[in-house]
């Protein structure tokens, strides 16, 4: 934790009372790492600009990324995303350390049916959260924005859960989630979380609540905790797959052709055909469970795909791979750089003209893929 509490907050008695209910314990000192230019394998103007953006931010923010555990006394958790609120003193808690951005909070508060009434200035609002539907004490709260997205589990939940190994959490304490799907349970098993509970309620009161801190700041990943967590996850799937025949897939193209979401390129048939002609194995991750995905990614040397959570599985690949990210013009996703740096990979980005691909755009992607095979 770092930074200075604003003077206005220091003079506000309700905030002072809320802070008195919080204890933060640091669990790990972050490494100070300077981003190396070799992280980006291409040196064209586009990748040079992205490298500078990432390096300028990561060298500063990595060092201040939190890496500890909070204890909250007398708090509520609100909604399915688990906003932590001191209802008695009328304060809520936002920021990297609790995985809540201010922009998302503004949207969430107005659209999540938790009792919002109106804003009363930029830093105040009226809301009626109602009465607690449950009292649940001595739990580790694992709800946060982005909960149902695979990429957020890789970026947020897995490292946080691994951080819990260093926290001396009292025996009998349960980890509380919103809901648990099959793939979420696979990840819980991998990080050896046995005592888990899941419920989706509007308001829950807690006399004592634990919260593992966020382990990133900006696009930078706290180190060494992220590398430790992802190495452990990689070793877990290595163990599950070690008796299976190795997959001959040095080059993998991660296709979103069958993806049902809003963000998907056109002309995937032509793109897949072109990638196949370059020797790439075409992977549709939604057809495989996590162990199957890990098996396909494990020995890959080059992985290319459209910007999205599926590419976060690069952390299941043995160190030394190259990731190629196809990025739409309205996106700036440098999480891929942070993951590659922490997991021992390199990467390059390719700018797309839009989600409609002309034959020329497909040819440019294939040329990009050929350059990465030689990198």
């Amino acid at each position: 934790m770092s930074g200075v509490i604003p003077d206005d907050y220091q003079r506000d008695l309700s905030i002072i009372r809320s802070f008195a209910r919080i204890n933060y314990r640091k669990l790990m000192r972050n490494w100070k790492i300077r981003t190396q230019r070799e992280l980006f394998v291409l040196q064209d103007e586009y990748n040079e600009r992205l490298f500078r953006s990432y390096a300028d931010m990561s060298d500063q923010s990595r060092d201040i990324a939190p890496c500890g555990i909070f204890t909250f006394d007398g708090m509520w958790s609100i909604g399915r995303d688990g906003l932590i609120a001191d209802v008695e003193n009328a304060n809520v808690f936002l920021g990297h350390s609790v995985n809540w951005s201010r922009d998302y909070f503004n949207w969430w508060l107005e659209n999540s049916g938790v009792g919002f009434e109106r804003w009363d200035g930029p830093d105040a609002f009226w809301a009626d959260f109602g009465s607690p539907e449950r009292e649940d004490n001595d739990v580790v709260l694992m709800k946060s924005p982005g909960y149902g997205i695979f990429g957020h589990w890789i970026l947020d939940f897995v490292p946080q859960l691994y951080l819990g190994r260093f926290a001396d959490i009292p025996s009998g304490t349960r980890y509380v989630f919103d809901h648990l799907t099959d793939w979420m349970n696979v990840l819980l098993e991998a990080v050896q979380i046995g005592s888990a509970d899941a419920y989706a309620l509007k308001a829950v009161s807690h006399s004592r609540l634990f919260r593992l801190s966020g382990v990133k700041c900006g696009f930078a990943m706290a180190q060494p905790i992220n590398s430790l967590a992802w190495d452990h996850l990689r070793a877990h799937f290595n163990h599950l797959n070690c008796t299976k025949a190795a997959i001959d897939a040095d080059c993998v193209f991660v296709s979103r052709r069958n993806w049902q979401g809003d963000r998907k390129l056109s002309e995937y048939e032509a793109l897949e055909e072109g990638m196949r002609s370059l020797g790439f194995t075409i992977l549709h991750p939604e057809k495989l469970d996590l162990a199957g995905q890990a098996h396909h990614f494990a020995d890959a040397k080059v992985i290319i795909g459209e910007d999205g959570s599926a590419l976060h599985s690069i952390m299941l690949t043995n160190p030394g791979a190259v990731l190629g990210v196809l990025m739409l013009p309205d996106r700036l996703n440098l999480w891929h750089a942070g993951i590659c740096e922490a997991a021992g990979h390199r990467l390059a980005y390719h700018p797309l003209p839009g989600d409609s691909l002309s034959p020329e755009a497909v040819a440019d992607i294939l040329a990009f893929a050929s350059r990465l095979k030689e990198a």
Side-chain angles (χ1 to χ4, degrees):
M1 298 280 284
S2 65
V4 177
I5 299 174
D7 290 341
D8 289 349
Y9 284 11
Q10 295 187 52
R11 293 191 294 266
D12 189 309
L13 292 179
S14 72
I15 293 177
I16 292 171
R17 288 192 292 268
S18 287
F19 280 149
R21 296 181 170 196
I22 307 171
N23 177 67
Y24 175 75
R25 181 161 55 95
K26 191 172 184 177
L27 297 177
M28 192 168 287
R29 179 183 292 113
N30 288 328
W31 290 342
K32 294 184 177 180
I33 303 171
R34 185 169 182 82
T35 298
Q36 301 298 308
R37 177 62 188 84
E38 291 76 14
L39 175 64
F40 281 60
V41 299
L42 298 184
Q43 299 183 5
D44 54 67
E45 182 180 350
Y46 182 66
N47 279 281
E48 284 287 348
R49 176 165 56 85
L50 293 182
F51 168 74
R52 288 193 299 270
S53 296
Y54 175 73
D56 290 347
M57 174 277 306
S58 64
D59 290 344
Q60 300 176 50
S61 63
R62 183 186 293 107
D63 186 46
I64 65 173
C67 209
I69 188 169
F70 293 93
T71 303
F72 294 91
D73 294 324
M75 301 289 176
W76 292 19
S77 57
I78 306 297
R80 299 190 64 171
D81 285 342
L83 176 72
I84 298 175
D86 181 354
V87 174
E88 184 175 337
N89 292 299
N91 292 305
V92 299
F93 299 92
L94 309 176
H96 286 293
S97 57
V98 289
N99 276 8
W100 274 85
S101 74
R102 178 58 194 268
D103 288 343
Y104 180 82
F105 168 76
N106 290 351
W107 175 88
W108 175 90
L109 185 63
E110 296 178 5
N111 293 278
S112 294
V114 294
F116 171 76
E117 295 178 0
R118 68 181 186 277
W119 290 100
D120 193 18
D123 296 318
F125 62 91
W126 289 87
D128 180 3
F129 295 141
S131 299
E133 299 174 70
R134 176 174 177 171
E135 181 178 351
D136 203 8
N137 301 319
D138 291 331
V139 299
V140 181
L141 186 67
M142 294 303 301
K143 303 183 181 188
S144 71
Y147 178 87
I149 300 172
F150 173 72
H152 283 273
W153 273 73
I154 295 296
L155 287 171
D156 297 319
F157 291 96
V158 167
Q160 286 174 303
L161 290 166
Y162 196 82
L163 181 64
R165 291 171 171 234
F166 302 91
D168 294 325
I169 295 170
S171 176
T173 302
R174 291 172 297 112
Y175 287 76
V176 170
F177 301 84
D178 176 75
H179 65 281
L180 291 172
T181 64
D182 289 344
W183 63 262
M184 293 175 184
N185 281 315
V186 169
L187 292 175
L188 293 186
E189 178 184 355
V191 292
Q192 299 173 328
I193 299 299
S195 183
D197 196 3
Y199 51 73
L201 300 174
K202 177 181 174 182
V204 179
S205 64
H206 311 272
S207 62
R208 184 167 66 163
L209 172 72
F210 299 104
R211 173 86 206 196
L212 293 159
S213 74
V215 289
K216 63 182 189 297
C217 186
F219 289 111
M221 312 293 176
Q223 290 283 47
I225 189 60
N226 282 283
S227 291
L228 289 171
W230 295 338
D231 283 348
H232 177 87
L233 196 60
R234 186 158 41 195
H236 173 78
F237 288 115
N238 182 313
H239 167 68
L240 293 182
N241 292 321
C242 68
T243 59
K244 298 177 182 178
I247 294 177
D248 184 16
D250 282 353
C251 299
V252 175
F253 177 65
V254 182
S255 174
R256 292 167 69 102
R257 180 179 181 181
N258 301 320
W259 179 248
Q260 300 302 313
D262 295 333
R263 201 174 73 248
K264 183 175 70 172
L265 299 177
S266 67
E267 305 303 325
Y268 252 112
E269 185 174 349
L271 186 54
E272 288 184 4
E273 183 178 328
M275 296 298 287
R276 195 176 287 110
S277 72
L278 294 178
F280 280 77
T281 296
I282 310 302
L283 182 66
H284 299 100
E286 69 278 0
K287 295 182 178 181
L288 299 169
D289 61 15
L290 282 183
Q293 291 184 42
H295 193 38
H296 277 77
F297 278 119
D299 294 318
K301 302 298 187 291
V302 179
I303 298 173
I304 296 177
E306 187 181 350
D307 167 35
S309 291
L311 293 189
H312 295 344
S313 293
I314 184 73
M315 46 78 64
L316 300 175
T317 304
N318 297 332
V322 174
L323 177 67
V325 183
L326 308 178
M327 197 154 67
L328 290 167
D330 62 342
R331 301 274 294 178
L332 179 60
N333 189 345
L334 295 176
W335 288 124
H336 302 293
I339 292 172
C340 285
E341 186 173 27
H345 304 304
R346 299 178 298 155
L347 82 162
Y349 289 82
H350 177 76
L352 297 170
D355 56 10
S356 180
L357 297 182
S358 66
E360 292 77 16
V362 172
D364 287 343
I365 294 172
L366 299 182
F368 170 71
S370 295
R371 293 173 68 190
L372 293 195
K373 289 184 67 176
E374 298 173 359

